[in-house]
Amino acid sequence: MRIMLFTTPTCQYCGPAKELVAAVEGVEILNALENEDLATMYGIRSVPCLVVEKCSGTQSYVGLDQIAKFIDEKESSAGCGCSCGH
């Protein structure tokens, strides 16, 4: 499983989003402006955006409320939900 938080330097909600994901192991913090290829690949149109890539597919969480919801769900489950062991 790969977890990426896309942010920009001028985004007022990106700092709080970084704080939300600080306790989640393995989150990559990416500047969307410096990683335009990835931002385009994942269809990033708004930041902060948390992208979770699993064996079963990719899910995006846009905004603080959705990112917080992901963190709550992650704490109650483990791995990517398949038998791959991630």
Side-chain angles (χ1 to χ4, degrees), residues 13 17 20 48 61-73:
Y13 300 108
L20 280 175
Y61 300 85
V62 181
L64 292 174
D65 290 340
Q66 287 190 14
I67 292 170
K69 181 181 175 186
F70 164 77
I71 291 168
D72 290 341
E73 291 172 356

Side-chain angles (χ1 to χ4, degrees), residues 7-56:
T7 65
T8 61
T10 58
C11 166
Q12 67 179 352
Y13 300 108
C14 292
K18 290 176 186 178
E19 291 175 18
L20 280 175
V21 301
V24 178
E25 187 177 330
V27 175
E28 299 173 58
I29 310 280
L30 300 170
N31 182 327
L33 302 175
E34 294 174 356
N35 294 279
E36 286 185 42
D37 54 339
L38 283 176
T40 300
M41 182 174 133
Y42 290 109
I44 306 302
R45 297 181 190 272
S46 181
V47 292
C49 183
L50 187 72
V51 175
V52 181
E53 190 176 70
K54 300 179 180 183
C55 297
S56 59

Side-chain angles (χ1 to χ4, degrees), residues 1 52-57 74 77-86:
M1 178 168 35
V52 181
E53 190 176 70
K54 300 179 180 183
C55 297
S56 59
K74 179 153 178 49
S77 67
C80 67
C82 75
S83 61
C84 73
H86 291 115

